[in-house]
Amino acid sequence: MCTHLIDFQNRKLKTFKGTYGKKGGRVYGVYDEGNRTFRGFWDKPKAKKKCSRKKSGLSYWGKIEFRLSSNEDSFTGVWGYCDNQPSRDWSGTKR
């Protein structure tokens, strides 16, 4: 399981972007306020698996799906590499 603090911004605008970790990790995508769900992408300058195409200028990225807790201070979800379906656990707290 991967656990990180993430700084989410502009949730009320139905989009989000944020950072995680200490090595330039980013998350971004769309927020569904009705069910507190984020769907989008992560990227960082270096990761275990290099994708065959770049996204946002980086070769290391993947899909994410998060759901905020009812008090919106933490999340659980899944992530994956490149265009693969997310299946790896990811949880954390909001900064």
Side-chain angles (χ1 to χ4, degrees):
M1 179 184 296
C2 189
T3 304
H4 294 282
L5 291 173
I6 292 186
D7 181 14
F8 291 111
Q9 302 170 356
N10 299 326
R11 283 198 336 253
K12 300 300 181 195
L13 299 176
K14 306 289 188 222
T15 62
F16 72 93
K17 65 180 179 176
T19 59
Y20 70 92
K22 296 179 181 177
K23 296 184 179 181
R26 302 181 302 181
V27 291
Y28 49 93
V30 178
Y31 178 62
D32 181 338
E33 193 170 21
N35 63 15
R36 297 183 321 274
T37 302
F38 293 96
R39 281 186 170 55
F41 298 90
W42 65 269
D43 66 31
K44 61 194 297 187
K46 188 76 174 164
K48 289 183 180 181
K49 183 174 180 179
K50 185 175 183 177
C51 301
S52 61
R53 66 180 175 90
K54 290 185 177 185
K55 188 167 206 52
S56 297
L58 295 172
S59 297
Y60 304 94
W61 57 273
K63 295 179 181 180
I64 56 172
E65 297 175 7
F66 297 153
R67 181 177 175 94
L68 281 180
S69 63
S70 58
N71 62 3
E72 298 189 351
D73 68 350
S74 64
F75 66 91
T76 58
V78 290
W79 67 279
Y81 285 110
C82 310
D83 280 318
N84 296 331
Q85 184 66 26
S87 61
R88 300 166 184 255
D89 291 337
W90 189 346
S91 64
T93 56
K94 187 178 71 167
R95 266 194 266 194

